Amino acid sequence: MNNKPKIGVYVCHCGINIAKTVDVEAVSEFASRLPNVKVARNYSYMCSDPGQLLIREDIKNEGLNRVVVASCSPRMHEMTFRKTLAETGLNPYYLEMANIREHCSWVHEDREEATEKAKKLVFSAVAKARLLEPLYENEVEVEPATLVIGGGIAGIQAALDIADAGFKVYLVEKTPSVGGRMSQLDKTFPTLDCSACILTPKMVDVASHPNIELLAYSEVEEISGYVGNFEVKVRKKARYVDVNKCTGCGVCSEECRLAGRIPSEFNAGMGNRAAIYLPFPQAVPAKYTIDPERCLMLTRGKCGKGPKCEAACAAGAIDFNQKDEIVECKVGAIIVATGFDVFDAAKKPEYGYNDYDNVITALELERLVSASGPTGGNIVLGKGEDAFVPQEVAFISCVGSRDKSVGNEYCSRVCCMYTAKLAHLVKEKLPEANVRVYYMDVRAFGKGFEEFYDRVRREGVRYIRGNPSEIFKRGDKLVIKAEDTLRSTPIEDEVDLVVLAVGLEPRRDARQIIDLLRLSQSADRFYLEAHPKLAPVNTATDGVFLAGCSQGPKDIPDTVAQAKGAASSALVLLSSGKVKIGAQISFVNEATCRGCGYCVEICPYGAIELVTVNRMGNMVQVARVNEALCKGCGACSAGCLSGSIQQKSFMDRQILPQIAVLGGVK
Amino acid sequence: MNTETQSFIQKYDLLGCVQCGRCTGGCPEAMRTGLNPRRVVYDALEGNVPDELAKLPEIWDCTTCNTCAARCPKGLKPVDVLIGLRNILVESGVLQPTVRDALESAFREGNPWDKPRATRGDWMKGLDVSIAEPGEKVENLIFVCCTICYDPKVQVIAKNLVKILNKAGVDYGFIGDDETCCASEVYNLGEVGEEGLFEMMVEDNTELLNSYEATRIVAISPHCYSALKNQYPNLKADVIHYTHLVKELLEEGKLELTGELPKKIVFHDPCYLGKQNNVYDEPRYILSRIPGAEIVEFERSKERSLCCEGGGGKMWTESDSKEERLAETRVKDARALGAEILAVACPFCVLTLDDALKAKGFEEEMRVAEILEILGDLIKE
């Protein structure tokens, strides 16, 4: 092929987005006089079918072998025009784009200056287009299995969908049981479904599905590899109970010397458990676990005259010598569904959460109203002789949400509705109680939400517009200091129980998964999706998807929908069986590489390693790029001290002339 | 909306307000006066001219305790909005005579108490005090406070500090007659802005304080501490409160408390130390070291402490409110706890709480005392 550059330049009007500020006629006229440019045109929408047809016709009729499109950001339409080239048989990497919209017309007002800048950008693109080389994409096989991290409703749903489609799933859950936050809830808004009733069948399905390997009480320890071919190491923590023998009868727990003396995580500290425990009655797997940080045998090596659990277990399942196990698996896709933690109310000391027993969080009330909770669903505060039923109940919304003073500017999206639900449940259980909700805005945006909010108000729950500032105690009563903003009246409201509608925060150990998978965080510290609108379940790492609250606060319907989205994205990968690897990746000139390893340190994707090669009889170290891992960011190339590592399409000899044009230097 | 209102809205970021009411809900004055910071913001947003808002008498009820700003979820500072309104009156010259006199005195004599500058150091007479000279290297440069210098009721605070510093062998120096008001109350009275007295005094004081080779400046009053720490951007030395220093001396064993004080003590958090600068532990640590003392806590303490109404220029303004003074509420609460000493770490708190104690007739049962006042009897000369 005669590779003397014959370039076509296409200047897009983008309706008036570009044409209003840039004289597109002048730009194409300027381009037509640039060296190697065979044809230059301008058109209203280059991305439209007729626009693309212009390019295809010119390639055919004018014999073009390079194309420059001056339009929007390459993020928008680079793929569109690469396909246009490919359809004519031209290598799609003979395309160069000049961004005269985001980088020019949208950010400038002066038409004359904007036009001059657009010309420069086009000139620079032409300068590079001359030097482009054809590139070819590779494909790799995809391991037909998925790792799902997190066994809450998001992880459960994603696992079930993928498994039902016929692919293997490894579902890793950190705690002894799947179920997550949803299992802690009593009812769900706005339908008042019993949370456990709709969740437990799914939990059971997960455990019994032939395609799902459930790794409960386990943590992912190491992930290497790349899209389609991840290698995973999971630490299966010792339960000190042989799950094959344990029948889940629970006698061990009753016998445990610490029974009723350890705060139960599942009950949000409102109830207690033993050192050997099942987190909740419907736990899956229904196997007991010994808490290694509390068990007397495991912490002190001694438990009275001998561990009572061991003596009580008829199945002989207790095994104090059990060790952690490492499970290795290979997967093509990974779904992160690690959920959330609730805001730590102690960070707002003005509400006295640490000082007063009767200031509780919504999650704590959730356990109190739940039939499976420590009080059997009765709203009783205090213990023994001090036990009493609250008469005056107040909810405070937006605790730890929409609040710069604690660093959480976002709305947690579920608190308004769970508050309405809990207020309804309190009213239902204590019809004589006076229930009020202090709010600054009520956000009832979901299906059936506004109707539910209406219902709860009509049941007699009072909504007072004003976010309380302070809580202190006067006698037996808690005093809420607030302003009724609708009446412009400061008030001191005396109540028996204050429920803080705490917001949702990223998991306190969110860092762990970030380090494993190189995920990014958005400003709110939740995991960052690849695009907020068009790729909401993808991450910047190919083959890694997000589901549920790890990406941002969500209610159950949204979580399930996103989990299904993540599952479907993973299935696209798995069912195609192959994945394309980008062509604009780095490569090493092994003849000049000095093996200093600087690029290995720089690479954010761990795509470069040092290997030993035989260079004319000498064994030397050189860098080598794993093409499947390289994302083409170019950091290595910019950092390389000897210019030995280069990125295809962005080689020094391609981009230096491009930069020279911009700087006005020939 | 006129431009004056617009620039007022812009200056205090009022468009960021969500009208949640936390400012007014937390305001200690809202229940006893007409003060409603949220409403002031709302009215400004509704287009009310700042000049008109400035005529609301309740803007002088603000104690600048800072609760409104601390609680605001959107990072606004309603307290500064109120000071901004006071500033309008200052600029127009329509002021209560007491306020005008205080500002004039601060300008003329470097203190708001209408006392001659030349007698600022009189409290030191007869004491073995080390005075620092400009250019001199000094580890701890002591900043006394106008009120402590001139008011015989609280001079003991500074006198006892001298005693402690000498006893513990601290490298220190006082400024003497050259010390000038920190301007905290000048700011609170609204004499701020371009060419405002506050800015002028900050500039002069910065020059004076930087003329010493001081490692750190130790402020005795929390009001001076807060101002020097937060409103003086160009100071070379670190700024600490004396409770930081005394805690240090106790911890390092340089200071010993001897004798016994078998009393029940409750500590009242000064807003300018606690709510504004998060200094909660130091004063409590010092009190915990007093032999024989039993320390109790107010129901409303630390972040939830109740203001005594000593700040915000309240020393020079009168409120129309007929409601109980907050200082009276405070001494009643202290008595209910069975406290024999109501300990504070601020000269203003001493004055307001002591007045309240006398008004309530509790002198027989308890007393108000600054921490340094208490320590004085526990240090062997």
Side-chain angles (χ1 to χ4, degrees):
Chain A
M1 179 182 170
N2 174 11
N3 211 19
K4 186 167 181 285
K6 279 187 225 159
I7 305 172
V9 177
Y10 299 88
V11 182
C12 182
H13 302 189
C14 195
I16 57 163
N17 275 305
I18 294 169
K20 192 178 153 209
T21 325
V22 170
D23 182 347
V24 288
E25 196 65 52
V27 174
S28 59
E29 199 276 326
F30 166 81
S32 69
R33 290 183 280 110
L34 292 172
N36 302 106
V37 172
K38 186 89 194 289
V39 52
R41 302 182 194 278
N42 62 80
Y43 186 70
S44 54
Y45 290 103
M46 282 313 302
C47 60
S48 68
D49 277 349
Q52 294 185 54
L53 187 65
L54 271 179
I55 300 176
R56 286 204 300 269
E57 291 288 313
D58 283 351
I59 292 172
K60 227 188 295 169
N61 302 332
E62 306 283 339
L64 300 183
N65 57 12
R66 304 280 196 287
V67 171
V68 170
V69 181
S71 57
C72 50
S73 160
R75 279 194 69 138
M76 197 76 199
H77 277 308
E78 192 169 47
M79 289 309 289
T80 312
F81 295 115
R82 273 189 196 156
K83 277 184 199 147
T84 311
L85 267 63
E87 278 166 28
T88 68
L90 193 61
N91 187 289
Y93 291 91
Y94 277 131
L95 169 78
E96 184 63 26
M97 293 191 71
N99 182 356
I100 59 168
R101 192 177 73 175
E102 285 86 342
H103 287 180
C104 188
S105 69
W106 276 359
V107 291
H108 297 300
E109 283 172 2
D110 187 295
R111 190 172 159 87
E112 216 163 285
E113 284 181 343
T115 304
E116 283 313 304
K117 179 169 171 184
K119 285 180 186 170
K120 268 200 167 173
L121 290 171
V122 169
F123 191 3
S124 143
V126 168
K128 183 180 168 194
R130 282 199 289 268
L131 305 164
L132 288 174
E133 289 172 8
L135 301 178
Y136 303 93
E137 288 160 358
N138 286 327
E139 279 186 341
V140 295
E141 302 274 323
V142 172
E143 183 70 31
T146 304
L147 168 71
V148 177
I149 309 174
I153 182 59
I156 288 173
Q157 188 60 55
L160 286 175
D161 281 9
I162 293 168
D164 284 347
F167 292 94
K168 175 91 187 170
V169 176
Y170 299 92
L171 176 58
V172 177
E173 164 59 38
K174 189 168 67 175
T175 70
S177 169
V178 293
R181 294 293 182 197
M182 185 173 171
S183 64
Q184 290 180 281
L185 309 181
D186 180 43
K187 298 274 166 57
T188 59
F189 62 78
T191 49
L192 298 176
D193 286 302
C194 158
S195 192
C197 311
I198 57 175
L199 178 65
T200 37
K202 285 182 186 285
M203 291 164 60
V204 173
D205 284 355
V206 152
S208 61
H209 203 296
N211 284 340
I212 298 179
E213 183 168 340
L214 174 58
L215 297 164
Y217 205 49
S218 301
E219 288 185 55
V220 178
E221 228 173 41
E222 209 179 297
I223 297 178
S224 57
Y226 48 90
V227 55
N229 296 277
F230 293 106
E231 277 163 37
V232 184
K233 274 189 194 155
V234 179
R235 177 175 294 271
K236 221 171 150 180
K237 293 179 280 189
R239 284 180 189 258
Y240 305 99
V241 170
D242 185 337
V243 291
N244 297 319
K245 292 183 185 161
C246 176
T247 59
C249 70
V251 178
C252 54
S253 191
E254 286 163 24
E255 288 296 313
C256 174
R257 282 179 219 275
L258 296 177
R261 288 164 68 177
I262 299 168
S264 149
E265 296 83 356
F266 180 76
N267 281 323
M270 297 304 275
N272 290 331
R273 59 167 171 83
I276 182 163
Y277 67 109
L278 196 63
F280 54 104
Q282 306 94 323
V284 171
K287 307 290 179 187
Y288 277 73
T289 305
I290 296 180
D291 181 343
E293 280 164 20
R294 307 306 283 263
C295 170
L296 297 173
M297 220 25 217
L298 291 172
T299 52
R300 299 183 199 169
K302 191 166 175 272
C303 173
K305 283 182 185 143
K308 287 174 123 183
C309 54
E310 198 169 27
C313 182
I318 311 289
D319 176 7
F320 288 108
N321 295 317
Q322 206 177 60
K323 296 272 178 295
D324 290 1
E325 247 179 87
I326 300 293
V327 178
E328 295 189 28
C329 56
K330 230 185 142 192
V331 298
I334 297 172
I335 293 177
V336 177
T338 46
F340 67 91
D341 275 324
V342 295
F343 172 74
D344 175 10
K347 285 190 195 155
K348 289 195 76 69
E350 60 266 34
Y351 288 155
Y353 174 72
N354 274 357
D355 303 320
Y356 306 129
D357 289 343
N358 299 339
V359 176
I360 64 173
T361 68
L363 193 60
E364 288 161 1
L365 178 64
E366 201 77 59
R367 294 315 304 147
L368 216 50
V369 295
S370 168
S372 73
T375 57
N378 294 316
I379 305 175
V380 180
L381 300 168
K383 297 225 162 63
E385 281 178 19
D386 296 333
F388 75 106
V389 174
Q391 172 67 23
E392 301 291 335
V393 180
F395 288 84
I396 297 181
S397 66
C398 298
V399 178
S401 305
R402 304 178 64 194
D403 192 342
K404 264 189 190 170
S405 73
V406 293
N408 293 344
E409 290 192 48
Y410 56 88
C411 164
S412 289
R413 294 179 92 247
V414 293
C415 324
C416 282
M417 292 319 292
Y418 79 54
T419 297
K421 174 199 72 183
L422 287 169
H424 160 84
L425 292 175
V426 171
K427 252 329 221 187
E428 187 179 71
K429 288 174 188 274
L430 307 172
E432 298 303 312
N434 295 314
V435 181
R436 67 283 245 166
V437 176
Y438 285 93
Y439 72 101
M440 50 184 180
D441 295 296
V442 172
R443 295 181 168 171
F445 50 87
K447 191 168 182 171
F449 288 10
E450 181 67 20
E451 295 89 326
F452 185 70
Y453 170 45
D454 283 343
R455 168 182 168 179
V456 170
R457 283 196 330 276
R458 290 208 165 88
E459 287 169 352
V461 173
R462 283 205 49 229
Y463 274 73
I464 302 171
R465 197 192 174 284
N467 208 283
S469 200
E470 206 165 288
I471 293 169
F472 59 92
K473 214 161 181 182
R474 188 182 285 150
D476 291 340
K477 295 284 186 182
L478 291 166
V479 179
I480 297 178
K481 246 177 91 60
E483 185 202 3
D484 181 339
T485 61
L486 297 181
R487 296 196 302 171
S488 277
T489 309
I491 50 177
E492 289 186 353
D493 188 7
E494 297 195 347
V495 300
D496 303 314
L497 172 65
V498 176
V499 184
L500 305 176
V502 283
L504 274 49
E505 283 191 336
R507 285 268 182 200
R508 314 243 189 281
D509 57 3
R511 192 75 237 168
Q512 233 174 299
I513 302 289
I514 290 174
D515 292 342
L516 278 173
L517 286 167
R518 297 167 198 277
L519 295 181
S520 306
Q521 291 165 287
S522 37
D524 56 14
R525 310 187 309 286
F526 288 96
Y527 297 145
L528 179 68
E529 64 282 351
H531 189 284
K533 293 184 178 59
L534 302 178
V537 301
N538 302 63
T539 66
T541 309
D542 287 339
V544 178
F545 307 97
L546 300 173
C549 290
S550 64
Q551 181 258 344
K554 268 174 209 71
D555 59 12
I556 295 167
D558 284 2
T559 295
V560 170
Q562 201 195 19
K564 284 178 162 288
S568 122
S569 297
L571 284 171
V572 168
L573 253 180
L574 302 184
S575 52
S576 78
K578 284 192 169 62
V579 60
K580 275 198 176 142
I581 302 295
Q584 291 174 321
I585 51 176
S586 295
F587 66 99
V588 179
N589 180 349
E590 292 188 358
T592 57
C593 174
R594 299 181 303 187
C596 71
Y598 193 36
C599 54
V600 179
E601 272 173 48
I602 291 173
C603 178
Y605 303 98
I608 311 175
E609 56 178 347
L610 287 180
V611 295
T612 308
V613 295
N614 183 334
R615 189 150 70 197
M616 294 186 280
N618 298 315
M619 301 309 285
V620 294
Q621 289 218 307
V622 295
R624 184 163 290 171
V625 178
N626 179 331
E627 301 197 340
L629 280 178
C630 175
K631 303 277 281 179
C633 71
C636 55
S637 171
C640 179
L641 303 170
S642 62
S644 299
I645 190 161
Q646 294 277 308
Q647 193 193 338
K648 293 175 185 171
S649 277
F650 295 90
M651 292 185 281
D652 288 353
R653 61 185 153 89
Q654 293 171 319
I655 59 173
L656 292 177
Q658 180 182 23
I659 296 166
V661 167
L662 286 174
V665 184
K666 287 262 162 68
Chain B
M1 202 178 285
N2 72 10
T3 50
E4 195 200 337
T5 311
Q6 270 172 358
S7 66
F8 191 79
I9 287 173
Q10 214 160 34
K11 183 168 180 192
Y12 299 106
D13 191 26
L14 302 189
L15 290 170
C17 174
V18 278
Q19 291 287 308
C20 69
R22 275 191 203 161
C23 48
T24 301
C27 175
E29 291 297 317
M31 290 287 281
R32 54 183 303 279
T33 71
L35 186 61
N36 186 329
R38 179 200 57 79
R39 186 63 196 268
V40 170
V41 172
Y42 188 77
D43 288 344
L45 285 168
E46 277 299 286
N48 285 285
V49 187
D51 286 4
E52 291 301 312
L53 293 172
K55 289 178 188 159
L56 297 169
E58 62 262 29
I59 67 165
W60 294 100
D61 284 316
C62 172
T63 67
T64 65
C65 71
N66 203 47
T67 309
C68 53
R71 303 280 159 76
C72 178
K74 298 294 172 186
L76 272 65
K77 295 192 167 68
V79 55
D80 280 353
V81 177
L82 296 169
I83 290 171
L85 292 176
R86 290 178 181 181
N87 173 248
I88 290 171
L89 298 180
V90 170
E91 302 250 300
S92 65
V94 191
L95 279 178
Q96 303 166 53
T98 44
V99 171
R100 191 194 53 221
D101 293 349
L103 291 172
E104 263 178 30
S105 164
F107 174 66
R108 254 191 355 259
E109 300 295 340
N111 72 77
W113 293 113
D114 207 13
K115 302 283 183 188
R117 182 185 282 279
T119 62
R120 190 174 181 102
D122 282 6
W123 65 271
M124 300 181 190
K125 277 182 188 155
L127 291 177
D128 174 20
V129 183
S130 152
I131 307 283
E133 293 301 327
E136 184 186 322
K137 250 191 157 108
V138 58
E139 174 89 18
N140 298 287
L141 184 67
I142 315 292
F143 194 94
V144 183
C145 158
C146 306
T147 311
I148 298 175
C149 283
Y150 292 109
D151 192 330
K153 265 165 93 179
V154 286
Q155 279 171 351
V156 61
I157 300 172
K159 288 179 180 168
N160 283 359
L161 183 63
V162 173
K163 207 160 138 188
I164 287 171
L165 295 172
N166 287 342
K167 174 85 185 168
V170 176
D171 175 13
Y172 75 93
F174 281 75
I175 298 168
D177 288 347
D178 288 340
E179 186 183 284
T180 302
C181 178
C182 71
S184 168
E185 290 297 274
V186 171
Y187 179 89
N188 292 336
L189 287 169
E191 179 58 293
V192 286
E194 269 172 71
E195 292 173 39
L197 179 58
F198 173 74
E199 282 74 7
M200 197 188 93
M201 291 174 76
V202 168
E203 204 181 310
D204 290 354
N205 271 330
T206 302
E207 198 182 325
L208 172 74
L209 294 169
N210 283 348
S211 73
Y212 297 88
E213 291 297 314
T215 312
R216 53 192 193 178
I217 298 165
V218 184
I220 307 184
S221 165
H223 292 257
C224 311
Y225 164 64
S226 190
L228 295 175
K229 183 164 175 268
N230 304 310
Q231 296 180 297
Y232 282 66
N234 299 320
L235 283 183
K236 287 192 302 190
D238 289 341
V239 180
I240 61 168
H241 185 243
Y242 84 78
T243 52
H244 291 111
L245 173 65
V246 174
K247 182 187 177 209
E248 230 174 72
L249 298 177
L250 287 168
E251 276 180 339
E252 289 168 6
K254 289 179 182 158
L255 186 66
E256 287 288 335
L257 301 182
T258 52
E260 282 250 318
L261 187 65
K263 300 271 186 199
K264 209 175 200 182
I265 304 178
V266 65
F267 179 66
H268 162 83
D269 287 280
C271 301
Y272 275 71
L273 203 56
K275 275 180 183 170
Q276 302 206 16
N277 292 292
N278 293 315
V279 180
Y280 297 112
D281 299 337
E282 284 75 4
R284 287 178 170 77
Y285 173 81
I286 298 169
L287 292 173
S288 76
R289 292 286 303 264
I290 296 176
E294 181 194 348
I295 312 298
V296 290
E297 280 283 351
F298 276 117
E299 187 59 47
R300 306 174 71 174
S301 71
K302 298 188 180 174
E303 292 90 349
R304 293 183 288 124
S305 181
L306 184 66
C307 177
C308 77
E309 298 183 275
K314 300 283 283 180
M315 290 286 166
W316 300 278
T317 59
E318 260 317 308
S319 171
D320 294 338
S321 175
K322 300 280 179 290
E323 302 290 322
E324 184 175 77
R325 286 178 181 276
L326 299 179
E328 289 172 6
T329 310
R330 212 55 173 159
V331 293
K332 269 163 61 184
D333 288 348
R335 190 171 79 144
L337 285 169
E340 294 152 286
I341 298 176
L342 173 49
V344 295
C346 167
F348 285 177
C349 294
V350 173
L351 298 175
T352 53
L353 292 169
D354 198 44
D355 277 357
L357 186 94
K358 285 176 181 138
K360 287 281 164 199
F362 296 163
E363 299 106 307
E364 300 290 306
E365 301 142 69
M366 58 188 258
R367 67 181 175 111
V368 174
E370 223 279 352
I371 290 180
L372 288 170
E373 196 180 333
I374 302 173
L375 296 191
D377 299 335
L378 301 166
I379 306 214
K380 270 205 196 116
E381 293 280 354

